[in-house]
Amino acid sequence: MGRRRWVAALLASLALPSLLVQVGNLGLVREGRRARREVALTFDDGPDPRSTPRVLDALQAAGMRATFFVLAPSARAYPGLIRRMLAEGHQVEAHAERHHHAWARTPWGAFLDPLRAVRGVAEVTGRPGRFHRPPHGAYTLATVLGQWAAGVRGAHWSLEGRDWHPAFSSARVRARLSERLVPGAVIVLHDAGPGGPTTVETLPGLLAELRERGYRSVPLSELPGAAPQRWSDLRRRAFIRLDAAFDRLGGVRFAGGRRDNLFRIARVPFPLDGVKLGDGGGLRRGAPALEFHVNNPLLVDLGPRASVLQARRSDFPVVARELQTRPELADVEAVFCLSALSPLLGLLGFENLDLPPAYTRRLQRWAGVLRFAYGSAARAQAPRLSVLSRAEFLWRYGPPLEDPPGAYTAQR
């Protein structure tokens, strides 16, 4: 019985922290809010005189700042690189004293390593540590207790470049980050170790793209909304995963292939009968149409006003470009959404029409679920059909046309 209890305790010390902290990131800082185009680039495993200076050069040239999670022995060996990081406005935090996976350590070793790493790095920087990221982002209960004893907060990430993976070239790392990038992301790369050479090659182009898309990188402590994950954050992330599963099943994808677009789109048969449009046209059930769904976490964090501005200035024009360039969308007759967002979509030129009662009841229930998931206190509007004909949508959001599509658009 004693041996069974010891085994059970050992499994609990591994499994429960792994589930809640390593997987759920409960209590860790892993991302900020998505209201501003700011991200936190973070680099692990340095400093290394062969690669870290080139990472610093790229950041300096781009005017970006980052956070370096450094190994204490390397920090002691190359204090000049640590001084350069601090002088150029970067944040320096502890990664490890010995770079071992938490599950491969004894409980005592997993407890001591954060303490030793935080103290060792602070001796070089002359500043107290705020965060600690264990190797591989791996946790046991002893790791959590060690961070508490060291007086630091665990730091994870929301976007991994996989620069360490032998199958990931610099082009593949950049493509992965480009597609998955969202405001508030904490991005993990490596300035040393197996991922160092790939990051050095990837970084100049990646930083140029960040600037082109209106992003800037800031130290983790300055990232807006970067706070320890709570139970409500786990709920929000669970619904983000549910949205992703829904998208895979329904063939829905982010407009432009980027997750920072406000809209997810899919070609579908139009679901309603006898819809008359303000430009004199009509839509029959089954007509080819482009349905869009909103990017819920981005909409919630941006708020209504900023969402309308982003939709008008950049994100609906991306949808329009897809309508004009993708062969499978060539026959689409209308662009529509079934949602409780009709007041916002009305500001963007959409016609808002009442839905059959069955649709209204079903969508009203779903709107309530989304308010619960994303913490919105406002009561949702009654769901409605928001729709524009293809010609009207392209006139509003595509390249300029010589003439408006009809008398309805002339009233815009």
Side-chain angles (χ1 to χ4, degrees), residues 18-260:
S18 177
L19 180 64
L20 295 177
V21 182
Q22 186 170 322
V23 177
N25 299 159
L26 189 66
L28 306 185
V29 174
R30 73 178 303 275
E31 61 187 338
R33 288 296 176 184
R34 304 187 184 192
R36 294 164 58 180
R37 291 212 162 190
E38 293 183 337
V39 297
L41 283 167
T42 68
F43 299 91
D44 289 3
D45 293 354
D48 185 328
R50 297 168 296 181
S51 50
T52 301
R54 297 176 66 185
V55 169
L56 291 168
D57 290 345
L59 290 167
Q60 186 178 47
M64 302 280 189
R65 294 181 297 146
T67 302
F68 289 83
F69 288 92
V70 301
L71 299 173
S74 299
R76 288 190 288 265
Y78 306 108
L81 287 175
I82 301 298
R83 287 194 294 270
R84 180 181 171 185
M85 291 173 186
L86 296 173
E88 294 178 2
H90 305 297
Q91 187 170 352
V92 178
E93 300 291 350
H95 189 36
E97 179 71 26
R98 300 176 63 195
H99 197 280
H100 296 314
H101 195 287
W103 289 34
R105 299 179 187 270
T106 65
W108 184 239
F111 173 80
L112 285 178
D113 197 81
L115 280 165
R116 291 170 173 167
V118 169
R119 290 171 181 170
V121 171
E123 289 173 1
V124 180
T125 63
R127 304 178 183 184
R130 293 188 58 180
F131 299 109
H132 169 258
R133 175 183 287 165
H136 311 287
Y139 282 83
T140 66
L141 179 60
T143 311
V144 175
L145 295 175
Q147 290 177 340
W148 288 349
V152 293
R153 176 69 65 178
H156 204 68
W157 57 83
S158 61
L159 180 52
E160 184 179 15
R162 294 197 173 183
D163 52 348
W164 49 268
H165 198 290
F168 275 70
S169 64
S170 61
R172 190 173 177 186
V173 170
R174 180 173 168 184
R176 174 185 172 86
L177 295 177
S178 177
E179 187 268 327
R180 296 169 183 243
L181 182 68
V182 294
V186 175
I187 303 166
V188 60
L189 293 166
H190 296 80
D191 64 311
T198 305
T199 288
V200 165
E201 187 177 347
T202 304
L203 207 52
L206 174 64
L207 294 174
E209 180 180 342
L210 288 177
R211 293 186 65 180
E212 181 183 342
R213 291 168 64 176
Y215 283 89
R216 72 182 188 123
S217 174
V218 298
L220 184 57
S221 61
E222 297 179 21
L223 185 66
Q229 292 282 289
R230 302 166 298 174
W231 288 106
S232 58
D233 297 309
L234 269 63
R235 183 178 65 219
R236 170 182 160 120
R237 285 165 44 214
F239 273 83
I240 291 174
R241 288 182 177 272
L242 182 63
D243 269 343
F246 168 82
D247 289 353
R248 286 193 297 272
L249 290 173
V252 181
R253 57 183 178 78
F254 283 93
R258 290 176 174 174
R259 297 187 188 184
D260 58 1

Side-chain angles (χ1 to χ4, degrees), residues 276-354:
K276 299 295 183 182
L277 301 178
D279 61 2
L283 284 171
R284 71 187 191 283
R285 181 187 291 271
L290 186 71
E291 183 177 16
F292 66 89
H293 309 266
V294 297
N295 182 339
N296 289 303
L298 184 58
L299 176 72
V300 169
D301 287 0
L302 280 174
R305 179 181 174 83
S307 295
V308 168
L309 291 174
Q310 181 168 320
R312 180 181 290 127
R313 292 173 179 172
S314 61
D315 291 5
F316 270 146
V318 170
V319 177
R321 187 164 63 247
E322 298 231 10
L323 270 178
Q324 294 173 305
T325 60
R326 296 185 73 93
E328 70 272 22
L329 302 180
D331 63 344
V332 160
E333 297 179 17
V335 179
F336 77 97
C337 179
L338 304 174
S339 75
L341 299 173
S342 55
L344 295 183
L345 294 172
L347 295 174
L348 292 161
F350 281 79
E351 294 184 62
N352 292 316
L353 306 173
D354 290 335

